[in-house]
Amino acid sequence: MSTIYHYASVSEALIKLREKGFTFDFNQNEEDIILHPEDYTINHIYHYEGNSNPDDEATVYGIVSKYGLKGVFVTGTSANSSDKNAEAIAKLSIKGKHSTTL
């Protein structure tokens, strides 16, 4: 990932990703990501921090499946957000990230 995007809101990030073909909602269909994280790659990451309320913080992910399905996954970063979502995303590879083994 060589490009960093700065959007004014989560809504704007979702609109821009939709324009790039990321139309599938992985939040509504997260079971396969949880069961098969090796089949998905994160191509875009956008983190939005609210001006005053920590509950306004969110991260938008542009994800591509090995079958070419492009979609978005949104997670909140407040104490009320689902740990299950964070666990699922943590298992995905990030496009352009080089891993090293010790």
Side-chain angles (χ1 to χ4, degrees), residues 59-79:
T59 304
V60 178
Y61 298 91
I63 297 174
V64 179
S65 77
K66 72 176 187 179
Y67 306 105
L69 180 63
K70 294 168 73 173
V72 296
F73 194 85
V74 181
T75 61
T77 54
S78 71

Side-chain angles (χ1 to χ4, degrees), residues 30 61 73-76 81-92:
E30 64 189 26
Y61 298 91
F73 194 85
V74 181
T75 61
S81 63
S82 170
D83 288 339
K84 181 175 69 170
N85 289 349
E87 288 176 17
I89 288 296
K91 294 178 182 176
L92 302 185

Side-chain angles (χ1 to χ4, degrees), residues 24-65:
F24 190 75
D25 184 353
F26 284 113
N27 286 86
Q28 297 295 318
N29 300 282
E30 64 189 26
E31 296 82 18
D32 197 57
I33 289 177
I34 292 168
L35 295 174
H36 305 286
E38 69 279 1
D39 291 346
Y40 298 89
T41 302
I42 297 170
N43 282 30
H44 300 277
I45 300 174
Y46 170 72
H47 183 74
Y48 174 75
E49 294 182 14
N51 291 334
S52 61
N53 187 346
D55 286 341
D56 291 341
E57 294 181 19
T59 304
V60 178
Y61 298 91
I63 297 174
V64 179
S65 77

